């Protein structure tokens, strides 16, 4: 049994009920589908019992009807398995995932970026504010609410290049 | 003081005046002395400024070559095209840059403390090194003032420099400047101690503070060898401390550009900045004067009798200049080769390595001196 | 001076090679806290990738990082090929390996000069650029551009190597080997350099993994983390090379790893030049549309693990392109490394992470 199948078996045994689906989608890519309520438990299991020490990336995907948040987690010691955890968020207006910074500290910026680009709220994040866009981006004049979160599909590029107007000097 | 070129020139000038204005003979003795002094002062000032400018050029050119670059090339006289290339050395580059700095706007930061920013900088940073000119021997005998305290006075004026740096850094109301100023003050104060201790051994064996006397005594050592041969530890301590005092790599922590942008001179612009940089080289030049006089035999050479050197006009000055530039070459070489140390490591080196070494040096020299005073040119 | 003070380093400051701000809270010379602000050159490059046909994004992938453009476009192209299920010929694969390894060398030389410059060895700031220029000349000879190559294609490469390339490349690798010895002698034999590098910015193995370190930073902390070995792509399994690993986790370990990697890269290039198949289709036809499906493809960039998460939707425009940048992860953890250290240790620590703002802000 290859390592990836072992991981799959373990996940199926230990996390049944917490996950919707687990399957091998490609060479050394294992996908877990779960919901945002169970995400933290699944992640804790992956990090501690399966010993996947490193979070690679958190990607949001806007499917127009719903959001997907995809986590890529890997282990470095010769095992090429990458676990891909997919969370489906149905409620577009109140989309929310729990923060996993307590499991992997590197999730900090990835979650901020997720919030920044997609407007997906990350509950329990220590410092959830804009990362790549200006911190006062919300105060700008926006034609549409979607412009707040540029990686959403509804966001269209502005006709004129956006000019950055800094706010009057705030005392630092 | 013997009959040198200044006296000759003054006598020629006074002879000219007495030809034009007969009957003024009673003023001539005081007038002659004043004339000699002002000639000396002018010459040392011109000497220092010209050497500073050339020194900056020398460093840029040399470091450029060491870094696989060319350094300044274009701004120079046209020496013509021969041997298959155009000969230009960028000698006028620094003149051009001085002109550029002087034509720039002088900006005093809006929130700076104006009075110390202006006064502190010029009074404590720029002025002291210029005062030192009077104490430097410009050859075997040409020196304006040779007071009994000698180079102690030079070190005393040196120690005004960190005060000015601290005032400038503090008053320019910039965080980098403040940090740089504090670093500079800590560094200079802690490195003055090994600097003075390292020359202590020289003072012990020569019983003098005068640069001229110390240089002259090195002609009495066996074969006229300089003190560097007999006190290598003291020389190394002196060199390291001098590098720290002049804020050069590896000790250029106060203006560590990687973290502090430009250190205490971040807010200096135009001619202020130029003056601050020029002062640094000025101090290096003066340090080289001291080092050459104390450890390299000043204007004298080993194996050649002092009287021979003194008898040929300007030969002693030429020897001194060559030695000074060789001395400065070491600093430039070190600059091209070493990273800078951290402030705590720097203080460690100063307090834990150099000061004990300086004491060891003094102890060794005392033992050697008691066993064989002739080694240090003392005839008993 | 026990008062706490905030120092803003950036957006334009010698310490940050690129536009970002490091907000440092200091107590005298001690750093007690820090915050990193990024986003100054945010270009929404992922959005750009999602709004144009997949093959026209490749020149933009070059612009992700001006120091390792080749590996970014290479990663993108290879990810697309993986999604399309294409297999390129052995010759094209060997050519790609040669290009990628030369890019790694050029990138490490840039890093070396930045690191040495931040420590104050200005000689070593200038001299590695000379060697880098030889490498870039070679790449320019092949691709026609010094920095933004646009040389890879879906299904192979744009064109063949020019005449005489193999000889030039082999000569250059031997020359670089000689140079590396010189650099090691100049820096590692210098006591002051060791003072500034040893035990500075120590990152333990657990922290390195938890904080998401990749590349040389991770390997300096004792983890055998090289995608070329873990999940081989191209013809790396056929080539003999070692992955340098150090356990110190400090700036010196990162320095040594990168120097060793240059040696290994020259070794790889020589093998690849020897084994380069003389014949082979190097530019196959590629389908117009990306199939339904997704791929997470990663390669070993000079900075660490570069990844693309691409979702295709039966269209020529990719539905989603997520770029996983190694410098992004490494910058995030420098904040952890500099806290508790000295202000003067900030430049070597940040330089040793090898940052490139183009790929961090994207």
């Amino acid at each position: 049994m290859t390592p990836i199948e072992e991981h799959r078996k373990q996940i199926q045994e230990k996390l049944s009920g917490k996950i919707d689906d687990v399957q091998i989608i490609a060479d050394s890519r294992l996908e877990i589908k779960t919901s945002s309520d169970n995400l933290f438990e699944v992640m804790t299991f992956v990090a501690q019992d399966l010993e996947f020490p490193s979070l690679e990336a958190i990607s949001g995907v806007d499917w127009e009807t719903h959001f997907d948040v995809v986590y890529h987690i890997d282990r470095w010691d010769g095992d090429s398995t990458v676990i891909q955890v997919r969370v489906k968020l149905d409620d577009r207006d109140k989309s929310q995932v729990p923060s996993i910074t307590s499991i992997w500290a590197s999730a900090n910026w990835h979650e901020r970026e997720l919030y920044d680009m997609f407007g997906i709220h990350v509950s329990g994040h220590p410092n959830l504010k804009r990362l790549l866009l200006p911190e006062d981006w919300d105060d700008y004049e926006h034609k549409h609410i979607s412009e707040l979160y540029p990686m959403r599909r509804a966001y269209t590029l502005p006709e004129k290049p956006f000019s950055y107007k800094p706010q009057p000097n705030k005392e630092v | 003081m013997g009959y040198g070129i200044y006296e000759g020139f003054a006598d020629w000038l006074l002879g000219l005046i007495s030809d034009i204005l007969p009957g003024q003979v009673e003023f001539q003795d005081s007038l002659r002395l004043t004339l000699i002094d002002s000639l000396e002062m002018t010459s040392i000032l011109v000497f220092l400024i010209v050497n500073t400018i050339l020194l900056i050029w020398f460093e840029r050119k040399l470091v450029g070559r060491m870094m696989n670059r060319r350094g300044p090339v274009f701004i120079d006289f046209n020496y013509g095209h021969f041997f298959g290339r155009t000969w230009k050395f960028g000698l006028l580059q620094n003149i051009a840059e001085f002109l550029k700095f002087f034509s720039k706007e002088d900006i005093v930061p809006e929130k700076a403390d104006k009075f110390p920013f202006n006064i502190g900088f010029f009074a404590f940073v720029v002025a002291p090194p210029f005062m030192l000119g009077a104490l430097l021997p410009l050859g075997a005998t040409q020196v304006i003032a040779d007071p009994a305290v000698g180079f102690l006075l030079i070190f005393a004026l040196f120690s005004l420099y960190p005060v000015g740096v601290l005032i400038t850094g503090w008053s320019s109301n910039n965080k980098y400047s403040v940090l740089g100023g504090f670093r500079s003050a800590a560094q200079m104060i802690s490195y003055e101690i090994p600097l003075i201790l390292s020359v202590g051994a020289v003072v012990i064996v020569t019983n003098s503070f005068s640069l001229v006397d110390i240089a002259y005594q090195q002609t009495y050592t066996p074969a006229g060898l300089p003190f560097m041969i007999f006190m290598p530890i003291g020389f190394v301590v002196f060199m390291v401390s001098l590098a720290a005092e002049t804020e050069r790599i590896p000790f250029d922590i106060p203006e560590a550009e990687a973290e502090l942008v430009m250190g205490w001179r971040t807010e200096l612009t135009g001619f202020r900045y130029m003056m601050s940089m020029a002062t640094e080289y000025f101090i290096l030049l003066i340090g080289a004067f001291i080092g050459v006089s104390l450890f390299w035999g000043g204007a004298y050479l080993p194996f050649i009798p002092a009287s021979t050197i003194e008898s040929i006009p300007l030969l002693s000055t030429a020897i001194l200049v060559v030695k000074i530039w060789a001395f400065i070459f070491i600093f430039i070489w070190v600059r091209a080769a070493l990273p800078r140390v951290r402030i705590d490591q720097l203080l460690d080196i100063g307090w834990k390595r150099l000061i004990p070494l300086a004491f060891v040096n003094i102890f060794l020299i005392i033992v050697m001196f008691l066993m064989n005073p002739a080694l240090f040119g003392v005839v008993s | 001076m026990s008062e706490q003070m905030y120092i803003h380093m950036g957006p334009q400051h010698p310490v940050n090679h690129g536009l970002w701000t490091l907000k440092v809270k200091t107590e005298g010379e001690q750093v007690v806290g820090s915050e990193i602000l990024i986003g100054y050159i945010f270009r929404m490059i992922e959005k750009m990738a999602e709004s144009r046909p997949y093959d026209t994004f490749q020149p933009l992938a070059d612009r992700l990082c001006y120091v390792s453009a080749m590996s970014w476009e290479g990663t993108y192209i290879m990810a697309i090929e993986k999604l399309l299920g294409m297999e390129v010929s052995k010759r094209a694969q060997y050519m790609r390996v040669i290009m990628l390894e030369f890019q790694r060398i050029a990138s490490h030389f840039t890093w070396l000069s930045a690191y040495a410059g931040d420590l104050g060895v200005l000689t070593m700031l200038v001299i590695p650029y000379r060697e880098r220029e030889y490498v870039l000349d070679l790449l320019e000879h092949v691709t026609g551009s010094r920095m933004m190559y646009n040389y890879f294609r879906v299904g192979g490469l744009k064109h063949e190597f020019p005449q005489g390339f193999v000889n030039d490349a082999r000569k250059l690798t031997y020359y670089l080997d000689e140079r590396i010895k010189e650099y090691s002698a100049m820096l590692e034999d210098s006591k002051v350099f060791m003072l500034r590098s040893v035990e500075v910015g120590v990152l333990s193995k657990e922290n390195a993994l938890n904080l998401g370190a990749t590349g040389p930073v991770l390997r300096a902390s004792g983890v055998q983390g090289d995608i070329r070995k873990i999940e081989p792509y191209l013809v790396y399994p056929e080539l003999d090379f070692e992955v340098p690993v150090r356990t110190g986790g400090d700036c010196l370990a990162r320095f040594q790893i990168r120097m060793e990697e240059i040696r290994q890269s020259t070794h790889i290039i020589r093998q690849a030049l020897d084994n380069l198949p003389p014949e082979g289709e190097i530019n196959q036809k590629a389908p117009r549309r990306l199939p339904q499906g997704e791929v997470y493809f990663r390669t070993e960039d000079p900075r660490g693990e570069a990844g693309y998460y691409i979702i295709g939707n039966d269209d020529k425009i990719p539905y989603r392109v997520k770029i996983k940048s190694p410098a992004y992860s490494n910058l995030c953890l420098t904040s952890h490394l500099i806290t508790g250290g000295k202000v003067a240790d900030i430049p070597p620590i940040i330089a040793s992470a090898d940052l490139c703002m183009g790929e961090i802000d994207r």
Side-chain angles (χ1 to χ4, degrees):
Chain A
M1 193 185 266
T2 54
I4 188 164
E5 282 163 352
E6 267 176 44
H7 296 320
R8 181 170 173 232
K9 201 172 143 223
Q10 257 188 303
I11 291 167
Q12 272 175 336
E13 282 169 6
K14 299 277 170 57
L15 286 177
S16 61
K18 297 279 190 300
I19 55 170
D20 301 339
D21 188 17
V22 54
Q23 54 178 320
I24 297 165
I25 53 167
D27 298 343
S28 65
R29 297 285 184 274
L30 185 67
E31 188 177 76
I32 303 173
K33 283 184 180 160
T34 183
S35 63
S36 64
D37 298 336
N38 294 326
L39 178 71
F40 195 83
E41 268 176 77
V42 172
M43 288 305 200
T44 314
F45 178 80
V46 169
Q48 283 163 10
D49 298 346
L50 293 184
E51 291 174 358
F52 274 62
S54 173
L55 176 81
E56 302 234 317
I58 301 178
S59 330
V61 186
D62 181 4
W63 289 107
E64 317 250 358
T65 52
H66 63 273
F67 286 122
D68 271 0
V69 181
V70 185
Y71 299 77
H72 290 101
I73 306 143
D74 74 358
R75 54 191 301 175
W76 285 101
D77 50 353
D79 179 357
S80 62
T81 308
V82 174
I83 291 187
Q84 178 174 322
V85 179
R86 183 180 291 273
V87 181
K88 193 176 167 192
L89 304 172
D90 284 320
D91 191 351
R92 277 183 69 95
D93 297 329
K94 287 182 188 157
S95 53
Q96 180 169 330
V97 286
S99 170
I100 51 166
T101 43
S102 53
I103 306 171
W104 293 288
S106 56
N108 191 327
W109 275 17
H110 291 294
E111 285 176 350
R112 275 175 72 184
E113 193 187 329
L114 187 72
Y115 165 72
D116 199 4
M117 296 288 124
F118 288 93
I120 297 171
H121 190 76
V122 184
S123 59
H125 190 279
N127 182 23
L128 192 67
K129 54 183 186 185
R130 297 277 187 182
L131 178 71
L132 292 167
L133 294 172
E135 269 183 45
D136 48 3
W137 179 252
D138 296 2
D139 305 338
Y140 284 40
E141 275 182 32
H142 298 289
K143 274 184 279 181
H144 188 259
I145 185 74
S146 71
E147 287 191 356
L148 286 173
Y149 305 110
M151 286 305 288
R152 289 188 179 183
R153 298 298 288 189
Y155 182 84
T156 48
L157 294 168
E159 286 154 22
K160 278 193 289 184
F162 206 93
S163 63
Y164 176 73
K165 293 191 196 72
Q167 300 296 305
N169 273 342
K170 283 179 201 164
E171 207 52 48
V172 181
Chain B
M1 232 178 275
Y3 191 82
I5 47 164
Y6 299 131
E7 287 81 359
F9 187 72
D11 286 347
W12 173 78
L13 209 63
L14 289 172
L16 210 66
I17 293 169
S18 61
D19 283 354
I20 300 163
L21 300 166
Q24 300 289 324
V25 190
E26 63 271 23
F27 291 111
Q28 277 194 3
D29 267 353
S30 61
L31 193 64
R32 182 173 176 270
L33 284 179
T34 318
L35 206 58
I36 291 169
D37 277 356
S38 47
L39 274 174
E40 279 176 340
M41 273 190 277
T42 318
S43 61
I44 187 113
L45 206 62
V46 168
F47 177 86
L48 284 176
I49 289 173
V50 167
N51 263 288
T52 307
I53 292 170
L54 283 178
L55 166 63
I56 297 173
W57 171 82
F58 182 57
E59 165 150 31
R60 294 173 71 173
K61 207 71 188 165
L62 210 62
V63 167
R65 288 293 171 178
M66 286 172 181
M67 289 180 182
N68 195 38
R69 298 183 284 121
R70 285 185 175 276
V73 169
F74 293 107
I75 304 172
D76 199 354
F77 303 108
N78 194 356
Y79 300 106
H81 185 92
F82 46 90
F83 295 130
R85 57 166 284 199
T86 307
W87 292 83
K88 279 192 168 186
F89 310 101
L91 266 174
L92 299 181
Q93 177 79 35
N94 289 321
I95 312 276
E97 284 185 6
F98 281 3
L99 289 176
K100 182 193 80 177
F101 277 127
F102 272 114
S103 65
K104 289 215 165 190
E105 188 188 355
D106 173 34
I107 300 167
V108 179
E110 196 189 4
K111 290 186 178 170
D113 203 345
K114 304 277 188 315
F115 181 71
F117 187 77
N118 290 319
I119 298 300
F121 176 66
F122 289 107
F124 291 106
V125 176
V126 179
F130 282 88
M131 286 193 242
L132 295 175
L135 303 170
L136 300 175
L138 200 62
T141 51
Q142 295 96 315
V143 60
I144 301 167
D146 195 9
V149 289
F151 62 79
L152 273 193
L153 191 56
I154 297 182
F155 286 146
L157 285 172
F158 259 6
S159 61
L160 285 180
Y161 187 73
V163 179
V165 167
L166 197 52
I167 291 176
T168 315
W170 182 264
S171 63
S172 56
N173 196 16
N174 180 315
K175 287 164 182 173
Y176 305 125
S177 304
V178 172
L179 268 185
F182 275 114
R183 284 180 178 192
S184 185
Q187 172 176 343
M188 296 218 177
I189 288 166
S190 57
Y191 269 73
E192 254 161 33
I193 299 162
L195 186 68
I196 291 179
L197 283 177
S198 67
V199 300
V202 178
V203 175
I204 288 169
V205 297
T206 57
N207 197 18
S208 167
F209 285 113
S210 157
L211 293 178
V212 179
D213 291 353
I214 292 170
Y216 190 65
Q217 187 160 344
Q218 294 176 51
T219 59
Y220 288 108
T221 55
L225 290 170
F227 282 157
M228 188 185 95
I229 310 289
F230 306 109
M231 40 182 90
I233 302 175
F235 180 66
V236 168
V237 173
F238 178 82
M239 290 295 270
V240 175
S241 317
L242 190 64
E245 283 286 299
T246 50
E247 294 181 4
R248 289 185 61 84
I249 284 179
F251 303 119
D252 68 332
I253 297 157
E255 64 245 37
E257 77 272 353
E259 70 260 22
L260 292 187
V261 190
M262 212 51 221
W264 61 273
R265 44 172 82 103
T266 304
E267 292 290 351
L268 301 181
T269 50
F271 77 97
R272 284 171 205 266
Y273 178 76
M274 193 270 293
M275 289 306 281
S276 78
M277 291 305 277
T279 307
E280 195 182 301
Y281 282 95
F282 214 81
I283 290 178
L284 178 63
L285 199 62
I286 291 164
F289 255 108
I290 300 172
V292 166
S293 301
L294 297 186
F295 291 99
W296 283 13
Y300 302 99
L301 289 175
F303 307 113
I304 299 172
S307 53
T308 318
I309 291 168
E310 282 175 16
S311 64
I312 303 168
L314 290 182
L315 177 63
S316 60
T317 311
I319 293 169
L320 195 69
V321 169
V322 170
K323 279 186 178 178
I324 285 170
W325 282 56
F327 194 89
I328 287 169
F329 171 78
I330 298 174
F331 284 94
I332 297 173
W333 196 10
V334 167
R335 177 193 156 178
L338 287 184
R340 75 172 67 83
V341 297
R342 214 165 54 205
I343 182 82
D344 55 322
Q345 293 164 347
L346 171 108
L347 298 181
D348 273 5
I349 293 169
W351 292 99
K352 293 183 187 162
R353 303 278 163 83
L354 292 185
I355 292 181
L357 267 181
F359 276 118
V360 167
N361 176 52
I362 289 181
F363 179 74
L364 278 178
I365 296 302
I366 290 174
V367 171
M368 281 164 75
F369 184 70
L370 290 177
M371 285 167 73
N372 186 7
L375 211 56
F376 298 102
V378 175
V379 190
S380 52
Chain C
M1 204 169 64
S2 66
E3 217 174 294
Q4 287 190 344
M5 178 163 81
Y6 279 101
I7 302 180
H8 283 241
M9 296 186 174
Q12 292 192 359
H13 188 281
V15 77
N16 25 33
H17 307 275
L19 286 178
W20 56 285
T21 300
L22 176 64
K23 234 163 94 178
V24 195
K25 193 179 181 186
T26 59
E27 227 176 73
E29 287 279 336
Q30 203 77 21
V31 179
V32 293
S34 61
E35 192 189 349
I36 292 169
L37 311 174
I38 60 170
Y40 292 91
I41 54 166
F42 173 56
R43 293 151 294 171
M44 260 167 69
I45 214 157
E46 290 175 6
K47 191 85 181 175
M48 287 191 223
E50 291 165 26
S51 48
R52 64 188 64 215
Y54 73 86
D55 50 337
T56 59
F57 174 64
Q58 185 204 343
L60 290 172
D62 270 346
R63 269 85 178 158
L64 270 171
C65 176
Y66 49 87
V67 187
S68 61
M70 192 75 87
S71 70
W72 276 108
E73 69 172 68
T75 311
Y76 178 72
I77 292 297
M78 285 187 273
I80 291 283
E81 279 168 1
K82 186 128 186 171
L83 185 58
L84 293 169
M86 284 178 75
E87 186 76 27
V88 293
S89 71
K90 269 277 185 288
R91 179 172 169 81
Q93 292 194 25
Y94 271 104
M95 286 166 78
R96 282 180 176 184
V97 166
I98 292 165
M99 287 286 113
L100 289 173
E101 292 303 320
F102 269 126
Q103 181 69 90
R104 188 184 314 278
I105 292 172
S107 170
H108 281 351
F109 274 134
T110 316
W111 170 82
L112 177 63
S113 84
Y115 182 64
D118 276 355
L119 284 182
V121 213
L122 295 179
T123 309
M124 288 303 283
L125 174 85
V126 181
I127 288 183
Y129 270 103
R130 176 183 64 188
E131 268 64 70
R132 173 173 181 255
E133 213 55 41
Y134 289 132
V135 179
L136 292 189
D137 279 352
L138 201 72
L139 293 179
E140 185 182 8
H141 193 195
V142 177
T143 64
S145 170
R146 247 180 100 254
M147 286 169 94
M148 307 298 167
Y149 308 105
N150 198 9
Y151 183 55
F152 283 47
R153 288 287 181 276
V154 178
L157 297 152
K158 191 176 168 196
H159 47 65
E160 278 284 352
F161 284 153
Q163 285 250 312
F165 170 82
V166 173
N167 266 335
D168 290 353
R170 188 174 283 119
K171 255 187 238 163
L172 183 63
T173 58
Y174 287 115
Y175 171 78
L176 293 175
D177 277 353
E178 286 301 307
R179 285 296 167 200
I180 288 296
K181 273 182 212 156
E182 208 173 273
Y183 299 158
S184 291
M186 170 120 187
L187 294 175
E188 281 188 89
D189 294 354
S190 155
K191 179 124 187 167
V192 183
F193 178 81
M194 292 309 235
L195 269 180
R196 290 305 304 276
S197 299
V198 177
E199 306 264 310
V200 170
V202 180
L203 184 65
S204 68
K205 188 174 174 177
E206 291 71 34
N207 273 338
L209 288 167
N210 195 27
L211 290 164
T214 68
V217 179
L218 182 66
R219 293 195 282 278
S221 297
V223 183
Q224 183 92 16
D226 193 321
I227 308 290
R228 290 176 295 177
K229 287 282 188 197
I230 294 173
E231 197 178 66
Y233 52 99
L234 294 177
V235 285
Y236 280 112
E238 296 170 22
L239 301 167
D240 165 49
F241 67 101
E242 280 169 20
V243 178
V245 175
R246 296 283 185 281
T247 48
D250 53 2
C251 289
L252 178 72
R254 284 164 226 153
F255 167 81
Q256 286 173 336
I257 291 223
R258 289 194 174 98
M259 297 301 265
E260 185 59 33
E261 273 186 17
I262 299 178
R263 289 190 198 104
Q264 293 296 336
S265 287
T266 57
H267 187 52
I268 293 172
I269 291 168
R270 280 195 291 271
Q271 290 176 54
L273 289 170
D274 289 340
N275 300 343
L276 185 64
E279 296 294 322
E281 172 67 44
I282 62 152
N283 202 347
Q284 302 169 23
K285 270 223 163 332
R288 294 283 294 159
R289 287 167 175 273
L290 290 175
Q292 193 91 35
E294 60 180 52
V295 66
Y296 180 70
F297 186 78
R298 47 192 187 146
T299 62
E300 188 68 22
D301 186 78
R303 284 167 188 74
E305 180 201 359
Y308 278 91
Y309 176 55
I310 300 177
I311 300 179
N313 199 16
D314 201 16
D315 191 3
K316 57 187 176 182
I317 301 172
Y319 191 79
R320 172 84 174 104
V321 176
K322 161 78 185 178
I323 297 160
K324 193 264 173 205
S325 148
Y328 184 83
S329 317
N330 288 348
L331 176 62
C332 187
L333 69 90
T334 50
S335 159
H336 167 84
L337 288 185
I338 61 178
T339 307
K342 298 271 191 293
V343 174
D345 279 340
I346 295 175
I349 291 171
I350 286 175
S352 73
D354 196 3
L355 305 175
C356 177
M357 286 322 285
E359 61 179 78
I360 293 169
D361 283 350
R362 300 194 296 281

